[in-house]
Amino acid sequence: MLRREARLRREYLYRKAREEAQRAAYERKEKVRRALEENRLIPTELRREALALHGSLEFDDAGGEGVTNHVDDEYRWAGVEDPKVMITTSRDPSSRLKMFAKELKLVFPGAQRINRGRHEVGALVRACKANGVTDLIVIHEHRGTPGV
């Protein structure tokens, strides 16, 4: 558990640092863009990299909202495209677990169920990524009681 918490903390700090670097780059681009639009001199701290910033400005779209928060990444496309949910079971599912998987498939709209068989979890994840699956739910059982 401690390793997991340490990994999550590192990932959080990495995302936060990456977001701050993107925000700083966005602000520099905006300064150059405003200076060019208003026909003013480019700020002195940006003169050396002004050509590179101006070159990257043409690839920025007008409909973008700038740098988004790392917390909002999961919900960025909510409402735009439907999630694709894949439901699978443990390696040797009991009949109760198979019934639970079928019922769970009906709970999530547009969900698909796949028989796991002897496939490893890593292979399932790679197959789901290749097919554009957004969520993978693995159902297992503990002493004959199904659970997620």
Side-chain angles (χ1 to χ4, degrees), residues 10-24:
R10 279 193 314 269
E11 288 176 0
Y12 171 77
L13 291 173
Y14 172 72
R15 282 193 310 265
K16 201 160 171 69
R18 191 178 69 196
E19 176 187 326
E20 187 60 37
Q22 288 175 346
R23 187 177 314 275

Side-chain angles (χ1 to χ4, degrees), residues 4-87:
R4 180 176 185 261
E5 289 176 4
R7 179 183 52 84
L8 290 174
R9 193 176 309 119
R10 279 193 314 269
E11 288 176 0
Y12 171 77
L13 291 173
Y14 172 72
R15 282 193 310 265
K16 201 160 171 69
R18 191 178 69 196
E19 176 187 326
E20 187 60 37
Q22 288 175 346
R23 187 177 314 275
Y26 179 75
E27 288 173 1
R28 288 194 312 266
K29 286 181 188 179
E30 280 298 307
K31 284 181 184 178
V32 170
R33 186 186 58 80
R34 273 188 263 125
L36 291 174
E37 282 180 354
E38 296 171 3
N39 203 15
R40 289 184 294 127
L41 287 176
I42 296 174
T44 56
E45 68 271 8
L46 299 175
R47 287 187 183 163
R48 289 179 190 247
E49 57 183 334
L51 286 176
L53 289 174
H54 180 65
S56 66
L57 274 175
E58 66 186 58
F59 297 114
D60 291 345
D61 58 343
E65 60 275 348
V67 179
T68 58
N69 192 350
H70 66 276
V71 176
D72 297 333
D73 282 348
E74 183 177 356
Y75 303 106
R76 179 179 294 161
W77 301 112
V80 176
E81 68 180 44
D82 293 331
K84 194 172 177 184
V85 179
M86 185 68 67
I87 300 172

Side-chain angles (χ1 to χ4, degrees), residues 127-140:
C128 288
K129 280 184 179 181
N131 291 319
V133 173
T134 58
D135 300 301
L136 175 66
I137 300 174
V138 179
I139 304 169
H140 62 90

Side-chain angles (χ1 to χ4, degrees), residues 93-101 141 143-146:
S94 65
S95 60
R96 289 182 64 193
L97 187 62
K98 288 179 186 176
M99 285 188 336
F100 182 65
E141 58 189 345
R143 293 186 180 177
T145 305

Side-chain angles (χ1 to χ4, degrees), residues 99-116:
M99 285 188 336
F100 182 65
K102 287 179 184 177
E103 290 177 10
L104 201 59
K105 180 185 130 184
L106 298 173
V107 170
F108 295 105
Q112 294 178 345
R113 188 177 66 83
I114 186 170
N115 290 330
R116 180 173 169 191

Side-chain angles (χ1 to χ4, degrees), residues 88-91 93 114-121 124 138-139:
T88 188
T89 60
S90 59
R91 270 188 190 246
I114 186 170
N115 290 330
R116 180 173 169 191
R118 296 202 181 269
H119 299 293
E120 295 179 357
V121 176
L124 285 175
V138 179
I139 304 169

